[in-house]
Amino acid sequence: MAKKIKKKKNKEFDFAGKILKFLSKNTTKSYNYKQIAGQLSVNDTQGRNEIIKELKYLVSKEKIEEIETGKYRFIPKANYIEGYIDMTTRKTAYLVCEDLEEDVFIPTNNLRKALDGDFVKAYIYNKRNGKKPEGEVVEILERHKTQFVGVIEIQKNFAFVSTADPKMYTDIFVPKEKIGDALDGEVVVVEIEDWPEKADSPFGRVLKVLGKQGEHDTEIHAILAEYGLPSDFPKEVDAFANKIDTSINEEEIARRRDMREVLTFTIDPKDAKDFDDALSFEKLENGNYSVGIHIADVSHYVQEGTILDEEAFNRGTSVYLVDRTIPMLPEVLSNFACSLRPNEDKFTFSAVFEINEKAEVVDKWFGRTVTHSNQRMAYEEAQYIIETSDRTIPEGISLTGADQEVTEEVAEAVLKLNDLAKIMRKKRMGEGAISFDKVEVKFNLDENDVPVGVFFKEAKEANHLIEEFMLLANRKVSEFIGKQKKTFVYRVHDEPDQEKLFGLQSVIARFGHKINFNTKASISKSLNKLLKDVHGKKEQNLVDTLTIRCMSKASYSTNNIGHYGLAFDYYSHFTSPIRRYPDVMAHRLLQHYLDKGASVSVDDFEKKCNHCSSRESLAANAERDSIKYMQVKYMEDQKGQEFLGVISGVTEWGIYVEIVENKCEGMVRIREIKDDYYVFEEKQYALIGQANKTMLQLGDEVIVTVKNADLVKKQLDFNYIRKNS
C-alpha cells in the first residue's frame, strides 16, 4: 500500500502553486527539481527540499506526472478549468464556469490570492465517496477589479485600508509615501499595485479621498466608486457636447417625415428631467387609429467614433440613485436637445402603427421624423383623466400645483389609447407574460437629502398605457429586423430556474398558494395568479422578491432566444436612448437596414452587448445600495420603537426581517434571540427553539426594534422582541 503523502504548508512561499503555474505553461517539456528551482529563483537547500516534497505531493494528487526518475511534467487534463471566483461572506469561494454542471467549492487556503470576480485557472479534484467537487486556484488569469473603496487606518509609517464589502477577505497595505492627502478614518479609493509572495495583504496606493465616513456625499460617492461608476463627465466630453449643432434646421427636416401637425404628448414621472418618448394619436378615415411612438433621435447627435460616443458606450446606462441621477449623456443633450419637451420641435426616431379597434396592428412604418409635443403630462395627471374622464386636473395632481386643463383632444387620445393598451395587455398576459408590478420604495428627502419619509410607488393604468406602447415599438422593431435574419441587439430573457421555482413553492404553500408545474403555460398562469393574489397583503414584497429571484436575468445579446417574462419571440430595447446605450445601437442598426445595408458583424456587436449587460448590472447594484443606505439613514433615529416585520430570510446565523410599513430590511442574529436556544433547520428554512419548539420561518410576522444602523456597511441590525401571534 502506497504511503499517503501529507502536504505541508509553507507560509513563506507557495511552492505548489508556483510549480503548477510554471509547468502548466510548458506542457510539452519535463523538468527536474533543480531546473524548477532555478525557474522559481530558489537557491537555498531548504527551498529545494521543499520543492522536492511538493513535487511528490503533486504527483500523488495526479496534478503532475513523473515521466522518468526525477523528471516531472504537467498533466493537461480536463480537470484544469478556467472560470470566475464567486466569494462567499465566509472567506471561501466557488468557481463558476458554464462548462461545469455545478459550481466548484474553493476552500480559503486554496484561493491563492484570488479575489471575488477574478478569472482564474483552477485544478478540480476528482469526486470521491459522493462528495461534491473541490478546487484549487493555480493561476490568476485576470483580476476582476484592482480599485476598492474603504476606510483608511493610518499608522506611523504605513496604513491599511479595510472595505465594507463582506466578500473582500483582506485589507490593503499602503506604504507611507502612497497615502497622499488622506487622513485617518477617511473613506478613500485605493488601487492594488502588487501582492508580494510573502505578504498577507496586497500593496496599494490611495487614488482619491472621498471624505469623512458617514457623511451623505461621501457615502454616495463611495457607492459610485465601489462599482467603478463615474460621478461627472470629463471636461473634454462636456466641451465636445456643448459644440454640437442642436438647431432644428430645414435641411435636416427635409430628410425626415414631418409629423409636427399630428397631436403628440408625453407622459412621464412628475419629477422627470428628460423625456425620451412621446405618443402621437390620430383617428383615420377608415375608423382605425394611427399611433406613433416617437423616441429622441440620440444617434443624430451622438456620432460613432467621437469621444462623446465613446463616453456613452463606456457608461452604458444612466444610473438612478435615490438622491441623484448620473446620466449617460451630458446635460445639453439629455435634458435639452434630446428631451421631447413640450412646445418644441424635436428630431425623433419613430415607429408608427395603424391599429384597429381590436388593438391589432394592420400596418407599420419605421423611420426618422420631426415632431412637436403639444402637452407634457405626469402619470398622476393621465391617471386622473383615465379614472374620471375629466380633462380639468385639480391642484395637488397637476404638475403646476394649480388646476390645469388638458385639451379635449389630448384627453380623448389618452382614453382611447388606454382602451387599446388594456386589450394589448390582456392578450399579452393570455400568451404567458408575467406581470411584475413590484412595489417601488421611494423617499421624501429634505433640503439636505435626509430621508424624512418613505412611500411606495405602484404602477397604475397610466403606467401600463405607456408600457404597452413602448413594448409594441420594441417588439415590432426587433421582429422587423429579426425576420430578415440580420444582426441585431436583442433584449433576451431565458426560462426560470425549475429548482428555484420548487423552492418558491415550498415558501408560498405556507400562505395557501401553489404553482402548477404541468406545462410552461400553466407555470406562467399560476405565477400571475400568485402575484395577483398577494397584492396588498403583508407577504407581497417577500413573494414578489422570491419570484423575481426565480427568474433568469434579462440581458443583451445578438442571439435571439426570445423574452420569457414578456412572452415575446422578438424583443429589443429601442425606446430609451437617452439613458441606455443598447437603444442607441438599435437605432443605428435599424437605420442601416432601412438604408438597405448588409448585416453587420455578430462578434463585434456581441462584445458590445456583453459590455452593456455588465454596465447595467453594476448600475442596478449601485441603485440598490443607495436605497439600502437611505433605509439605514431613515431608521438610525428610530431605535427603541417597535416595528411589525415579516421574516424575509433564514440562515444558520440568523433571520432577516423586512419591516411592513417601510420595507426596510435588517438582521436578527441567532445568538441574540434570547427566549430560547435556536437551531437552523435547512429543509424547513426555519430556526427552531430547542426548549419551547417555537419555529421562526419565512413569512412569519415578528416584532423587532432597531439595534444598530451602520451607514458605512449599509446594514441594519434588529433586536427580536417576540413572534406576532
Side-chain angles (χ1 to χ4, degrees):
M1 187 175 182
K3 186 179 178 182
K4 190 173 181 180
I5 299 172
K6 289 186 178 180
K7 183 179 177 184
K8 289 185 179 180
K9 295 288 177 187
N10 187 300
K11 294 181 180 178
E12 295 297 310
F13 200 88
D14 175 20
F15 285 110
K18 291 289 184 182
I19 292 168
L20 283 174
K21 185 175 181 179
F22 168 65
L23 293 180
S24 66
K25 289 181 177 179
N26 302 275
T27 56
T28 59
K29 297 179 181 179
S30 60
Y31 300 86
N32 61 35
Y33 81 92
K34 291 182 180 179
Q35 292 170 313
I36 294 170
Q39 289 293 330
L40 302 186
S41 300
V42 175
N43 302 313
D44 60 295
T45 303
Q46 182 183 352
R48 288 182 176 179
N49 287 337
E50 285 289 337
I51 287 175
I52 292 169
K53 290 177 184 177
E54 289 293 347
L55 287 168
K56 291 180 179 178
Y57 168 76
L58 292 171
V59 169
S60 74
K61 289 292 184 179
E62 298 180 353
K63 293 185 179 184
I64 63 175
E65 60 183 340
E66 189 173 11
I67 58 170
E68 57 182 271
T69 304
K71 285 277 192 175
Y72 301 93
R73 185 173 67 186
F74 182 80
I75 304 175
K77 289 184 178 180
N79 45 350
Y80 283 92
I81 298 291
E82 294 181 359
Y84 293 91
I85 292 294
D86 182 13
M87 292 294 306
T88 70
T89 56
R90 298 204 155 194
K91 299 183 181 180
T92 57
Y94 287 88
L95 181 76
V96 179
C97 176
E98 289 182 0
D99 297 333
L100 298 175
E101 291 182 7
E102 59 182 320
D103 298 341
V104 177
F105 178 68
I106 310 279
T108 305
N109 57 356
N110 284 352
L111 278 169
R112 303 194 185 282
K113 298 182 168 64
L115 301 173
D116 185 55
D118 287 352
F119 186 56
V120 303
K121 179 189 283 187
Y123 180 83
I124 312 302
Y125 296 106
N126 293 325
K127 295 183 185 180
R128 290 178 184 172
N129 302 323
K131 291 183 178 179
K132 290 189 175 182
E134 287 190 10
E136 181 176 352
V137 174
V138 297
E139 185 178 359
I140 298 167
L141 302 174
E142 185 180 350
R143 284 284 186 200
H144 169 58
K145 60 187 286 189
T146 57
Q147 294 183 14
F148 296 84
V149 176
V151 176
I152 192 164
E153 183 182 333
I154 300 177
Q155 306 296 327
K156 184 177 180 181
N157 296 312
F158 59 88
F160 279 99
V161 175
S162 56
T163 77
D165 184 356
K167 291 189 173 187
M168 182 60 173
Y169 59 83
T170 180
D171 50 19
I172 300 165
F173 175 83
V174 182
K176 184 177 182 180
E177 66 275 11
K178 295 187 178 182
I179 294 171
D181 297 329
L183 301 176
D184 187 53
E186 287 189 315
V187 179
V188 300
V189 180
V190 63
E191 181 174 48
I192 292 177
E193 294 185 317
D194 186 27
W195 198 332
E197 189 62 45
K198 296 180 181 181
D200 292 329
S201 300
F203 285 27
R205 67 186 176 99
V206 173
L207 293 181
K208 189 175 183 180
V209 178
L210 298 179
K212 293 181 180 179
Q213 61 176 316
E215 290 187 353
H216 180 80
D217 264 359
T218 298
E219 298 305 331
I220 293 297
H221 281 104
I223 289 170
L224 292 170
E226 180 66 37
Y227 295 106
L229 299 168
S231 57
D232 47 30
F233 284 95
K235 290 180 181 178
E236 61 271 21
V237 173
D238 262 333
F240 183 93
N242 287 325
K243 289 179 182 177
I244 293 173
D245 179 8
T246 59
S247 64
I248 307 298
N249 57 75
E250 293 299 325
E251 186 180 350
E252 180 60 31
I253 289 173
R255 299 190 187 104
R256 297 169 177 262
R257 178 174 171 177
D258 193 340
M259 299 189 69
R260 287 177 291 181
E261 297 304 315
V262 181
L263 179 69
T264 303
F265 52 89
T266 61
I267 304 176
D268 289 281
K270 202 170 186 175
D271 56 355
K273 293 181 180 178
D274 60 76
F275 319 113
D276 51 12
D277 58 77
L279 293 177
S280 67
F281 181 82
E282 189 177 15
K283 188 163 184 176
L284 303 176
E285 291 182 2
N286 63 3
N288 291 341
Y289 306 95
S290 176
V291 180
I293 295 94
H294 307 288
I295 311 303
D297 191 0
V298 171
S299 61
H300 171 72
Y301 300 104
V302 182
Q303 298 289 320
E304 290 185 85
T306 63
I307 58 170
L308 177 60
D309 183 53
E310 183 181 350
E311 180 70 17
F313 172 71
N314 287 338
R315 291 180 177 229
T317 180
S318 295
V319 184
Y320 297 91
L321 305 184
V322 169
D323 68 331
R324 70 194 71 188
T325 297
I326 312 298
M328 185 181 80
L329 299 173
E331 188 179 27
V332 67
L333 296 178
S334 61
N335 287 5
F336 295 98
C338 295
S339 185
L340 308 185
R341 305 195 301 175
N343 306 313
E344 294 180 10
D345 293 348
K346 295 291 179 181
F347 290 143
T348 43
F349 212 131
S350 303
V352 183
F353 301 103
E354 182 180 341
I355 300 176
N356 63 22
E357 286 285 358
K358 295 179 181 178
E360 297 167 333
V361 174
V362 297
D363 199 8
K364 62 183 181 292
W365 179 89
F366 305 117
R368 283 187 153 125
T369 53
V370 57
T371 54
H372 183 99
S373 175
N374 306 103
Q375 181 95 47
R376 181 207 164 184
M377 277 187 289
Y379 282 118
E380 293 84 354
E381 295 173 318
Q383 186 64 31
Y384 181 81
I385 292 171
I386 290 168
E387 291 176 358
T388 66
S389 298
D390 188 350
R391 60 191 180 91
T392 302
I393 301 168
E395 185 176 355
I397 294 176
S398 70
L399 285 168
T400 61
D403 286 4
Q404 177 186 351
E405 190 165 308
V406 174
T407 65
E408 188 174 344
E409 292 80 9
V410 169
E412 288 180 359
V414 168
L415 291 169
K416 175 46 71 174
L417 287 170
N418 187 55
D419 290 341
L420 296 173
K422 285 194 287 188
I423 297 170
M424 292 158 64
R425 183 176 176 83
K426 184 178 180 181
K427 182 182 178 185
R428 190 163 60 82
M429 293 301 153
E431 291 173 346
I434 311 294
S435 175
F436 285 111
D437 285 332
K438 196 172 185 296
V439 172
E440 200 175 342
V441 179
K442 294 286 186 180
F443 298 88
N444 290 316
L445 305 178
D446 66 14
E447 64 276 5
N448 298 315
D449 291 323
V450 174
V452 293
V454 179
F455 64 97
F456 308 123
K457 193 174 177 182
E458 292 189 68
K460 295 185 177 180
E461 283 181 278
N463 303 82
H464 294 320
L465 185 164
I466 293 299
E467 179 186 30
E468 288 306 319
F469 284 102
M470 296 306 119
L471 291 177
L472 177 65
N474 288 333
R475 177 164 62 98
K476 289 298 183 180
V477 165
S478 59
E479 184 179 86
F480 172 71
I481 296 172
K483 288 187 174 179
Q484 297 179 53
K485 307 295 183 185
K486 292 180 177 178
T487 302
F488 196 54
V489 174
Y490 296 97
R491 180 69 168 175
V492 297
H493 185 223
D494 209 346
E495 294 183 12
D497 186 301
Q498 286 285 333
E499 276 190 38
K500 289 181 180 178
L501 283 177
F502 285 125
L504 174 65
Q505 172 67 67
S506 67
V507 174
I508 64 173
R510 301 191 65 250
F511 303 104
H513 309 294
K514 64 178 181 179
I515 300 170
N516 184 339
F517 288 93
N518 287 341
T519 64
K520 181 179 172 182
S522 69
I523 291 174
S524 298
K525 189 175 180 180
S526 55
L527 285 176
N528 272 329
K529 184 177 186 304
L530 168 67
L531 296 170
K532 184 178 179 181
D533 290 346
V534 299
H535 186 79
K537 296 182 179 177
K538 68 178 188 297
E539 71 265 23
Q540 179 184 350
N541 208 44
L542 169 64
V543 173
D544 285 351
T545 300
L546 292 176
T547 306
I548 288 171
R549 286 176 186 169
C550 294
M551 298 292 122
S552 301
K553 241 180 203 175
S555 61
Y556 299 105
S557 179
T558 57
N559 178 29
N560 180 34
I561 61 169
H563 196 293
Y564 174 83
L566 296 171
F568 288 161
D569 292 329
Y570 296 91
Y571 188 63
S572 64
H573 272 170
F574 176 79
T575 53
S576 294
I578 290 177
R579 63 185 179 91
R580 294 187 305 223
Y581 195 83
D583 302 54
V584 179
M585 291 195 287
H587 282 213
R588 288 173 179 161
L589 288 173
L590 175 57
Q591 188 60 55
H592 176 70
Y593 296 139
L594 288 171
D595 293 337
K596 309 300 181 187
S599 187
V600 298
S601 166
V602 170
D603 291 343
D604 288 348
F605 274 86
E606 187 61 25
K607 288 176 185 175
K608 291 178 179 179
C609 285
N610 290 336
H611 168 79
C612 290
S613 295
S614 174
R615 298 304 292 178
E616 177 187 56
S617 178
L618 291 173
N621 288 337
E623 290 162 20
R624 209 159 27 240
D625 277 4
S626 81
I627 293 171
K628 285 180 184 175
Y629 170 77
M630 280 299 183
Q631 288 176 324
V632 174
K633 197 167 187 176
Y634 178 69
M635 295 296 291
E636 68 177 343
D637 294 328
Q638 305 197 44
K639 293 179 181 178
Q641 182 179 339
E642 290 191 355
F643 292 96
L644 173 65
V646 175
I647 296 178
S648 55
V650 184
T651 69
E652 60 188 295
W653 53 86
I655 56 174
Y656 290 93
V657 177
E658 181 185 84
I659 294 174
V660 172
E661 71 177 66
N662 56 33
K663 311 298 180 194
C664 295
E665 186 180 62
M667 183 180 213
V668 177
R669 301 187 184 279
I670 192 170
R671 64 177 180 270
E672 293 174 4
I673 305 176
K674 305 296 185 183
D675 65 345
D676 200 347
Y677 177 76
Y678 286 85
V679 173
F680 175 57
E681 178 54 57
E682 187 175 3
K683 290 182 181 179
Q684 297 186 67
Y685 288 101
L687 298 184
I688 300 176
Q690 297 305 287
N692 56 27
K693 301 304 177 185
T694 298
M695 186 178 288
L696 300 175
Q697 279 185 301
L698 276 174
D700 282 350
E701 288 187 344
V702 292
I703 305 297
V704 296
T705 60
V706 178
K707 177 186 179 186
N708 184 49
D710 190 324
L711 287 171
V712 177
K713 291 182 179 179
K714 294 171 280 293
Q715 185 174 297
L716 285 170
D717 288 318
F718 291 155
N719 294 308
Y720 173 80
I721 305 302
R722 63 184 179 276
K723 193 170 180 179
N724 193 49
S725 53

